[in-house]
Amino acid sequence: MFEDNLPKTSLSELGEFGLIDHLTRFVKTHQPTTHKGIGDDAAVINHEKEQSVITTDMLIEGVHFDLAYTPLKHLGYKAVMVNLSDVYAMNAQASQITVSIAVSNRFPVEALEELYAGITLACDTYKVDLIGGDTTSSRSGLVISITAIGQVQTDKVTYRSGAKPNDLLVVTGDLGAAFMGLKVLERENEVFKVNPNAQPDLEPYAYLVERQLKPEARKDIPQLLEALKVKPTSMIDISDGLSSEIIHLCRNAKVGANLFEEKIPLDPAVISVCEEFNIDSTTIALSGGEDYELLFTIDQNDYDKIKGNPNLTVIGHMTEEKEGMHLITRANQKIPIKARGWNSFEDANDKE
Amino acid sequence: MFEDNLPKTSLSELGEFGLIDHLTRFVKTHQPTTHKGIGDDAAVINHEKEQSVITTDMLIEGVHFDLAYTPLKHLGYKAVMVNLSDVYAMNAQASQITVSIAVSNRFPVEALEELYAGITLACDTYKVDLIGGDTTSSRSGLVISITAIGQVQTDKVTYRSGAKPNDLLVVTGDLGAAFMGLKVLERENEVFKVNPNAQPDLEPYAYLVERQLKPEARKDIPQLLEALKVKPTSMIDISDGLSSEIIHLCRNAKVGANLFEEKIPLDPAVISVCEEFNIDSTTIALSGGEDYELLFTIDQNDYDKIKGNPNLTVIGHMTEEKEGMHLITRANQKIPIKARGWNSFEDANDKE
């Protein structure tokens, strides 16, 4: 992504401290809780809410992203989203992040500037403060490790473990688009390798590609739930695919679940591109991953509060544990739900 | 370090979730502030003190460590120390860490168990809770990214920026040993490559090697300072060498400094091994790095409170900014202090 006409400044020209200063020179803070950001041994955070949540995720070149079709600015943005999504999944609001980056000498400073442009765009958009980090060299490839901190009132924290039988299973947004966006990008990359002059027409796939390259975390959902006066009984973010996350909610709460295939929200673009690729769209929603939507359970008594909200879809309900976890198909067949989500230790090509 | 007789279980046998469960199965918590640790989208922390500090560091194989002479258990321990040292440098107490690890398939599960054994030993020894993290595959090599959280009262936080002219410059422990330990290990590794049957006698270098492989962060210093009723005007941890850190304190506070060569605390083992390697010991103390001691400034009125304490050595004093930063040698020469610490973007062999 940086083999273009950008000027190239080698990392060693700036040195480690110079690089950090250079990359963070435009960092602004938004949060009253950020007492001291970048520039000391550690950042200092004040507490307004009773509790903090903290989460961390690492993205590795060649495992989680391929720079052949991932612009660095998008990558920086997405790396922040991956972490914020985990904060929102606690029903908390994200307030700060730290960013550590390891990068080989093949990256010029300008490439890191692009990456940081994406990170700071995400911070500005989500009103999250970049308060620290580490920048170092790697022997090969790019590694991004982000830790996100959020603030939450004690009575609002939502774990993976609180679902009860008969609770409704609710998902935000729609599923499967990010995975099909990846499929489209991989296909275009193969075409490009054969014919570098081919001009891909990604227009029909714009939504899918955007969901893959520039996902948005659901900051709005904890706010919406508060406005609706709904406290979910459990919540998790959908990073590994719907099946895997349903299994987490069930195992943590020792309950079962029935998921109704016909209720799974799919964008029309997902349905049409699944036909084009000859892939079953339900399978993609169940196992595709990277949707960064939220999956939660609510008490049935709260149904009226969420009914008809375009952000929320009831896709099933929880059951007694002994009833197991099942997908109820459109043909009314009952199929056990198995985890087929992302496992970075398997060959990435095995994951479908 | 794992080409020995240990059993070998491949990472893909356990999978990503199985691996996390496996590696963290013995994790205990120590801190009352740890409300929810590993096992959800994020960890949850309660607040007892008004402020938290947060810091993060990344260690990369081939850049920060060489597995040819770094046992994985020691590496795990050290990776925690590197981060805790930054927390203590804020005059705070460390309470929680998150650990993210990326590892290639050449590492068997047993190797990661060793690494985690070191991490959990550090956590148990320092009463710090491992509350989350990420474990993923890498295409090559091992990456460890740790974020540490600490708790501190607002009036105790100590920044890099508070030094005033005439403040005393104080260092904990002794300097240069970790770097000379590395030199010894590198030499033995070269000998080993030529003659794999050579039995190294590291006994005379035990202190140096331990300082390199198993450093201890100065948890005791914030406690000691509190007991002595001393609040440093500024503080920093010495990870990059004394010169580099003095420059940080001076630049952040817009002051100068005089450092007295004869006052720099050196272990006798450092002096003798520097003679053996024909290296100037002052240069090593100034630029060696990885000492994980604390450097701080105090008001002159506090001198009586720290006088004679075996953990603390006054090595100089701060001056007006225009007087610059100087080393006063034993021969009473005044030499400008330059940063010659660690820069991972230069060839590691250039750093002396």
Side-chain angles (χ1 to χ4, degrees):
Chain A
M1 298 318 299
F2 42 88
E3 316 300 340
D4 49 22
N5 300 323
L6 279 174
K8 291 186 183 54
T9 310
S10 79
L11 292 176
S12 55
E13 277 178 57
L14 284 176
E16 193 164 340
F17 297 125
L19 180 62
I20 295 171
D21 289 347
H22 180 76
L23 293 174
T24 59
R25 69 198 185 283
F26 299 127
V27 167
K28 296 188 297 279
T29 59
H30 311 274
Q31 293 282 339
T33 53
T34 302
H35 187 73
K36 167 79 185 177
I38 292 165
D40 216 293
D41 293 291
V44 180
I45 301 172
N46 289 319
H47 302 303
E48 288 186 339
K49 303 285 172 70
E50 299 91 347
Q51 292 188 320
S52 300
V53 301
I54 186 156
T55 179
T56 191
D57 264 300
M58 200 185 246
L59 300 183
I60 310 278
E61 184 179 351
V63 177
H64 300 98
F65 58 88
D66 185 333
L67 290 177
Y69 45 80
T70 312
L72 282 159
K73 187 172 175 182
H74 285 79
L75 179 62
Y77 194 90
K78 181 170 176 173
V80 178
M81 289 308 116
V82 170
N83 279 280
L84 298 192
S85 184
D86 281 323
V87 171
Y88 303 138
M90 302 300 288
N91 208 19
Q93 279 301 327
S95 48
Q96 287 91 8
I97 59 167
T98 66
V99 175
S100 291
I101 289 175
V103 69
S104 73
N105 281 323
R106 78 181 159 93
F107 289 80
V109 171
E110 289 75 13
L112 290 189
E113 285 174 358
E114 277 296 291
L115 185 70
Y116 262 79
I119 291 169
T120 49
L121 176 62
C123 286
D124 291 344
T125 307
Y126 284 76
K127 304 287 178 235
V128 165
D129 293 345
L130 174 59
I131 57 166
D134 194 12
T135 306
T136 185
S137 70
S138 77
R139 295 233 289 208
S140 70
L142 175 62
V143 178
I144 308 170
S145 178
I146 295 188
T147 298
I149 301 127
Q151 314 286 335
V152 65
Q153 284 171 288
T154 305
D155 60 354
K156 292 270 162 56
V157 189
T158 307
Y159 297 100
R160 295 179 173 182
S161 54
K164 303 179 307 295
N166 300 319
D167 279 357
L168 299 176
L169 184 63
V170 185
V171 71
T172 65
D174 56 74
L175 301 177
F179 184 81
M180 292 316 295
L182 179 63
K183 287 278 138 197
V184 168
L185 288 167
E186 284 174 348
R187 182 178 66 183
E188 295 309 322
N189 192 40
E190 290 305 313
V191 170
F192 177 81
K193 282 184 195 162
V194 176
N195 175 11
N197 294 318
Q199 289 292 320
D201 178 16
L202 291 177
E203 179 56 33
Y205 310 108
Y207 177 67
L208 310 178
V209 168
E210 183 164 353
R211 291 280 285 181
Q212 169 59 224
L213 293 182
K214 191 168 175 285
E216 302 288 348
R218 299 306 303 253
K219 176 182 180 158
D220 57 323
I221 297 299
Q223 295 165 340
L224 174 66
L225 292 171
E226 179 154 23
L228 296 174
K229 296 192 169 38
V230 173
K231 182 178 171 208
T233 51
S234 67
M235 185 149 63
I236 191 167
D237 88 315
I238 305 183
S239 53
D240 297 324
L242 184 59
S243 334
S244 171
E245 315 306 355
I246 289 176
I247 293 170
H248 279 305
L249 292 188
C250 287
R251 290 207 177 136
N252 274 281
K254 299 196 191 316
V255 296
N258 285 327
L259 166 69
F260 296 93
E261 183 181 19
E262 62 183 353
K263 303 287 190 188
I264 298 172
L266 299 174
D267 190 87
V270 170
I271 295 169
S272 72
V273 82
C274 278
E275 283 170 9
E276 190 183 326
F277 277 78
N278 200 19
I279 302 178
D280 177 50
S281 58
T282 300
T283 305
I284 296 312
L286 288 173
S287 309
E290 296 207 274
D291 288 315
Y292 302 110
E293 295 293 344
L294 297 176
L295 178 71
F296 58 91
T297 54
I298 60 168
D299 192 284
Q300 288 216 3
N301 292 326
D302 284 334
Y303 175 65
D304 283 345
K305 299 180 189 166
I306 68 154
K307 193 172 56 178
N309 191 300
N311 291 288
L312 307 176
T313 309
V314 177
I315 55 173
H317 61 86
M318 311 315 270
T319 64
E320 296 293 338
E321 186 177 21
K322 64 177 186 297
E323 294 181 42
M325 299 171 274
H326 291 94
L327 173 73
I328 316 295
T329 68
R330 288 191 188 83
N332 212 21
Q333 281 188 303
K334 227 172 156 177
I335 300 175
I337 294 174
K338 287 185 188 144
R340 306 199 63 191
W342 167 249
N343 175 356
S344 75
F345 291 111
E346 290 174 6
D347 183 335
N349 296 320
D350 289 339
K351 68 188 268 222
E352 299 144 46
Chain B
M1 300 314 300
F2 42 86
E3 315 300 339
D4 49 22
N5 299 323
L6 280 173
K8 291 184 185 55
T9 310
S10 79
L11 293 176
S12 56
E13 278 178 57
L14 284 176
E16 194 165 340
F17 297 124
L19 180 62
I20 295 171
D21 290 347
H22 181 75
L23 293 174
T24 59
R25 68 197 185 284
F26 298 127
V27 167
K28 295 189 296 279
T29 59
H30 311 274
Q31 293 282 340
T33 53
T34 301
H35 186 74
K36 167 78 184 178
I38 292 165
D40 215 294
D41 293 291
V44 181
I45 301 173
N46 289 319
H47 302 302
E48 289 186 338
K49 304 283 171 72
E50 298 92 345
Q51 292 187 320
S52 300
V53 300
I54 186 155
T55 179
T56 190
D57 265 301
M58 202 186 245
L59 301 183
I60 311 277
E61 183 179 352
V63 178
H64 301 99
F65 58 88
D66 184 335
L67 290 177
Y69 46 79
T70 312
L72 282 160
K73 188 172 176 182
H74 285 80
L75 178 63
Y77 194 91
K78 181 170 175 172
V80 179
M81 290 306 116
V82 169
N83 279 280
L84 298 193
S85 184
D86 282 323
V87 171
Y88 303 138
M90 302 300 288
N91 208 21
Q93 280 299 329
S95 48
Q96 287 92 8
I97 59 169
T98 65
V99 175
S100 290
I101 288 174
V103 69
S104 73
N105 282 321
R106 78 181 160 94
F107 289 80
V109 171
E110 289 74 13
L112 289 190
E113 285 175 357
E114 277 296 291
L115 185 71
Y116 262 81
I119 290 168
T120 49
L121 176 62
C123 286
D124 292 343
T125 307
Y126 284 75
K127 303 287 178 238
V128 165
D129 293 345
L130 174 59
I131 57 167
D134 195 12
T135 307
T136 185
S137 69
S138 77
R139 294 233 289 208
S140 70
L142 174 62
V143 178
I144 308 170
S145 178
I146 295 187
T147 298
I149 300 126
Q151 314 287 334
V152 64
Q153 284 171 287
T154 304
D155 60 354
K156 293 270 162 57
V157 188
T158 307
Y159 297 100
R160 295 179 173 182
S161 55
K164 303 179 307 294
N166 301 318
D167 280 358
L168 299 177
L169 184 64
V170 185
V171 71
T172 64
D174 56 74
L175 301 177
F179 184 81
M180 293 315 296
L182 179 63
K183 288 277 138 198
V184 168
L185 288 167
E186 284 176 347
R187 182 177 67 183
E188 295 308 323
N189 192 40
E190 291 305 313
V191 171
F192 177 80
K193 282 185 195 163
V194 177
N195 175 11
N197 294 318
Q199 289 292 319
D201 178 14
L202 292 176
E203 179 56 33
Y205 311 106
Y207 177 67
L208 309 178
V209 169
E210 183 163 354
R211 291 281 283 181
Q212 169 59 224
L213 293 182
K214 190 168 176 285
E216 301 289 347
R218 299 304 305 250
K219 177 182 180 159
D220 58 323
I221 297 298
Q223 295 165 340
L224 174 65
L225 291 170
E226 180 155 22
L228 296 174
K229 295 191 171 38
V230 173
K231 183 180 169 205
T233 52
S234 67
M235 185 149 64
I236 192 169
D237 88 315
I238 305 185
S239 51
D240 296 324
L242 184 58
S243 332
S244 171
E245 315 306 355
I246 288 176
I247 293 171
H248 279 305
L249 292 187
C250 286
R251 290 206 177 138
N252 274 282
K254 299 197 190 315
V255 296
N258 285 326
L259 166 69
F260 296 94
E261 183 181 18
E262 63 183 351
K263 303 288 189 189
I264 296 171
L266 299 174
D267 189 87
V270 170
I271 296 169
S272 72
V273 81
C274 278
E275 284 171 7
E276 190 182 325
F277 277 77
N278 200 20
I279 303 178
D280 176 49
S281 58
T282 300
T283 304
I284 297 311
L286 288 173
S287 309
E290 295 207 276
D291 288 315
Y292 302 110
E293 295 292 343
L294 298 176
L295 178 71
F296 57 92
T297 53
I298 61 168
D299 191 284
Q300 287 215 3
N301 292 326
D302 284 334
Y303 175 64
D304 283 345
K305 298 180 190 167
I306 68 152
K307 192 172 57 179
N309 191 299
N311 290 289
L312 306 176
T313 308
V314 178
I315 56 174
H317 61 86
M318 311 316 269
T319 64
E320 297 292 339
E321 186 178 20
K322 63 178 187 294
E323 294 181 42
M325 300 171 273
H326 291 93
L327 173 74
I328 316 294
T329 68
R330 288 191 188 84
N332 211 23
Q333 281 187 302
K334 225 171 158 177
I335 299 174
I337 293 175
K338 288 185 188 143
R340 305 198 63 193
W342 167 248
N343 177 357
S344 75
F345 291 112
E346 290 174 5
D347 183 334
N349 295 319
D350 288 340
K351 67 187 269 221
E352 301 145 46

